[in-house]
Amino acid sequence: LVVLAGAAVAVNPSNDDLRIVLGYAHLRSRNYAQAIVALEPAVARSPEEVDGPVLLGEAYRLAGTPRRAPPTIGAAAASWTS
């Protein structure tokens, strides 16, 4: 999945859905730093997207930077209620 999603993102790097799939694939492969790299641009562009902020928060937590996770998830939750 990492290879396929990575190839798709290489062709269309601004597609946030593909970046979220790539981030998920990296999380499943325990490549947390790469998951963060894939997810950060998608979350910055589309914070209201449900999966992106949650996956990014999980990547931060698993990468050993859990303090970065709550603001990411909190910002997403705030956008859901607006």
Side-chain angles (χ1 to χ4, degrees), residues 17 37 49 59 73:
D17 291 332
V37 168
E49 170 62 46
I73 297 168

Side-chain angles (χ1 to χ4, degrees), residues 31-74:
N31 298 321
Y32 307 126
Q34 290 300 316
I36 292 167
V37 168
L39 291 164
E40 282 181 335
V43 171
R45 284 190 297 262
S46 302
E48 72 285 350
E49 170 62 46
V50 174
D51 296 324
V54 173
L55 290 172
L56 181 57
E58 184 70 356
Y60 285 143
R61 184 182 72 79
L62 293 170
T65 54
R67 291 184 179 173
R68 294 181 72 184
T72 302
I73 297 168

